[in-house]
Amino acid sequence: MRKLVLAASIALLTACSAPQPEQINFKPKAVLSSSDLVDGSSYTLTSKDVRSAQYVALVDSGRSNIEPLHAQQNVRISLENALLEQFGSQGFRSTVNSENSVEVEIQEALVTVKHSVMENEMDGKVTIEITAETPKGKLVKTYNGTATRSGMLSASNEEIATVLNDVVNLVLKEIANDRELKEYMAERF
């Protein structure tokens, strides 16, 4: 019995000391409205992540080695929470069983990084589709954000996270300022 406990302890300690894969800190920021568009109109928010892969960055170091990096946080849940906060600041109230719905579909959220010892180049792309639906109809809008950044030396995970978060925040700002979406939701919800 003592040998079994010792073997299990060693296995557990070995697993704890194994190197963990590097991850990107994903923190989208909601764009908050200073005034309400509506007073408590309800809606149900759902989201889905339809990206073909769950990593948020691909790092190409030029040695036939492309390394995927994942987000520390769940991308779908983080974006959903940011949009809940964003719509809440406009006066919309999220409920579980409203006849009005907003569906968020994350189609792309990726930073591709090409770097060498001397320089790096990062391209960020984010595509989010929002469907606002009521019994009277629906509105489908696609929001895209892109960014390119280059620098000296190889790119750090913090720099990659900055590009990803900046592009996502640009898309969130575009959603918050979209007059057509705001008017559709305000008039029909």
Side-chain angles (χ1 to χ4, degrees):
M1 182 70 174
R2 188 180 295 173
K3 287 181 183 180
L4 182 63
V5 171
L6 183 61
S9 299
I10 290 171
L12 187 62
L13 288 172
T14 304
C16 291
S17 66
Q20 299 298 316
E22 293 186 48
Q23 295 183 325
I24 300 296
N25 192 11
F26 180 64
K27 289 190 171 189
K29 287 187 182 143
V31 178
L32 302 179
S33 176
S34 57
S35 61
D36 289 351
L37 291 174
V38 294
D39 185 24
S41 295
S42 69
Y43 71 101
T44 300
L45 182 70
T46 57
S47 63
K48 59 184 174 180
D49 190 345
V50 298
R51 297 176 297 149
S52 58
Q54 296 304 302
Y55 49 78
V56 293
L58 280 176
V59 180
D60 182 357
S61 57
R63 290 180 233 107
S64 300
N65 184 22
I66 298 176
E67 178 187 0
L69 295 176
H70 295 268
Q72 290 174 356
Q73 300 81 2
N74 183 302
V75 172
R76 181 188 64 80
I77 292 171
S78 297
L79 275 168
E80 184 178 300
N81 288 339
L83 286 166
L84 278 169
E85 190 177 347
Q86 197 161 297
F87 291 140
S89 76
Q90 296 172 347
F92 296 100
R93 187 173 47 85
S94 175
T95 63
V96 180
N97 56 357
S98 174
E99 63 181 15
N100 305 313
S101 68
V102 174
E103 182 180 300
V104 179
E105 184 176 283
I106 304 160
Q107 298 175 344
E108 187 174 21
L110 181 66
V111 177
T112 52
V113 182
K114 289 184 180 158
H115 72 120
S116 65
V117 177
M118 299 305 288
E119 62 184 356
N120 70 71
E121 187 170 309
M122 294 182 273
D123 291 308
K125 291 183 182 167
V126 173
T127 303
I128 297 174
E129 182 180 275
I130 292 191
T131 304
E133 189 168 2
T134 70
K136 301 171 194 148
K138 71 178 173 180
L139 173 71
V140 180
K141 302 267 317 226
T142 302
Y143 302 91
N144 296 298
T146 58
T148 302
R149 180 176 170 182
S150 57
M152 302 303 290
L153 306 175
S154 59
S156 69
N157 285 358
E158 290 77 23
E159 292 170 320
I160 297 169
T162 298
V163 170
L164 178 64
N165 288 321
D166 286 352
V167 177
V168 167
N169 292 339
L170 284 172
V171 171
L172 287 173
K173 188 174 185 179
E174 186 181 346
I175 293 168
N177 295 328
D178 184 345
R179 175 174 275 150
E180 184 180 13
L181 178 64
K182 288 194 296 191
E183 287 176 1
Y184 186 90
M185 290 173 68
E187 290 169 8
R188 292 182 171 88
F189 279 18

